[in-house]
């Protein structure tokens, strides 16, 4: 009887102490990024990437919260589009707005540039390389802005120092800002929104 009583007492104590571990909390705990199986290997453009009215362009997409370049076949009006900054800017933006291909999605690529984003040329008193978005650049999601900056920076859309000049739609109220696609921005796209420098 004593052994049974002792066993019952130990069992009761075990049950009581089982809940004395770490308490749950409603405060989120940052344990770092979740493990990812994304390869982030940019797929080779398919045979249809080039052809009538198409040229191969390089754009920046997101993969595991970083910016990486991929090649795409962009539809252009003629061979001189690459020499017309505004037409090229629109063709590149169209590629950024498109959802990733099956191969890109399988490698972990995504885009943050939404379908409503539009770009127009410089206003009357703007520098030649200026572009104006239909929203203020800082009103875009930072990842989307970083994609646009880095995609434009390596093309004739940018100035001679690979800087991208962007502003909002209202030339009288929306100041132009100059952006650079740095290695830090490619690694941390969230800094894009606060990286612009006012154009004097």
């Amino acid at each position: 009887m004593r052994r049974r009583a002792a066993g019952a007492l130990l069992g009761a104590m075990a049950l009581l102490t089982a809940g004395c571990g770490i308490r749950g909390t409603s405060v989120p705990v940052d344990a770092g990024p979740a493990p990812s199986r994304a390869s982030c290997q940019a797929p080779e453009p398919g045979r249809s990437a080039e052809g009538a009215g198409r040229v191969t362009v390089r754009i920046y997409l997101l993969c595991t919260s970083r910016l990486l370049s991929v090649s795409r076949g962009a539809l252009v009006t003629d061979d001189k589009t690459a020499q017309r900054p505004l037409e090229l800017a629109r063709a590149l933006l169209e590629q950024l707005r498109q959802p990733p291909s099956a191969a890109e999605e399988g490698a972990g690529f995504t885009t943050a540039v939404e379908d409503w984003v539009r770009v127009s040329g410089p206003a009357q008193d703007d520098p030649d390389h200026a572009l104006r978005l239909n929203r203020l650049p800082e009103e875009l999601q930072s990842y989307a802005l970083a994609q646009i900056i880095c995609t434009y920076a390596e093309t004739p859309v940018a100035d001679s120092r690979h800087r991208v000049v962007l502003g909002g739609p209202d030339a009288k109220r929306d100041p132009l800002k100059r952006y650079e696609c740095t290695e830090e921005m490619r690694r941390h796209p969230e800094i894009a929104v606060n990286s612009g420098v006012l154009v004097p």
Side-chain angles (χ1 to χ4, degrees):
M1 292 295 291
R2 289 181 179 177
R3 289 181 180 176
R4 289 183 181 178
L9 181 60
L10 288 174
M13 291 179 64
L15 288 172
L16 288 172
T17 57
C20 294
I22 299 173
R23 289 185 176 182
T25 175
S26 60
V27 179
V29 177
D30 184 5
S36 173
R37 295 183 180 180
S39 69
C40 294
Q41 293 288 327
E44 293 294 328
R47 293 183 179 180
S48 61
E50 290 192 7
R54 302 187 75 86
V55 296
T56 299
V57 296
R58 188 163 71 164
I59 65 171
Y60 277 84
L61 297 179
L62 295 161
C63 193
T64 61
S65 298
R66 293 176 298 156
L67 286 183
L68 297 171
S69 64
V70 301
S71 295
R72 289 255 187 99
L75 185 65
V76 298
T77 54
D78 55 48
D79 294 338
K80 295 182 179 180
T81 295
Q83 300 172 16
R84 300 180 183 130
L86 178 56
E87 290 186 36
L88 179 57
R90 285 174 172 165
L92 292 170
L93 182 60
E94 174 62 25
Q95 290 297 316
L96 291 171
R97 289 196 303 247
Q98 290 181 15
S101 66
E104 291 166 349
E105 186 176 7
F109 288 95
T110 61
T111 183
V113 182
E114 298 184 68
D115 191 57
W116 55 261
V117 182
R118 298 288 185 273
V119 64
S120 58
Q124 184 174 357
D125 296 325
D126 289 349
D128 291 341
H129 281 85
L131 294 170
R132 290 195 172 269
L133 303 173
N134 57 336
R135 296 272 186 88
L136 286 168
E138 52 266 32
E139 291 181 357
L140 270 64
Q141 186 183 147
S142 191
Y143 287 95
L145 181 59
Q147 284 183 256
I148 293 171
I149 293 167
C150 288
T151 296
Y152 285 172
E154 299 178 4
T155 73
V157 173
D159 66 16
S160 59
R161 297 175 62 182
H162 305 288
R163 299 174 301 182
V164 181
V165 178
L166 298 172
D170 192 329
K172 294 182 179 180
R173 294 187 304 173
D174 301 338
L176 293 170
K177 291 184 179 181
R178 187 176 288 115
Y179 299 86
E180 293 187 59
C181 178
T182 62
E183 180 64 28
E184 184 181 7
M185 184 180 292
R186 289 190 289 269
R187 291 183 179 180
H188 304 284
E190 65 273 11
I191 71 173
V193 166
N194 298 315
S195 68
V197 177
L198 284 172
V199 174

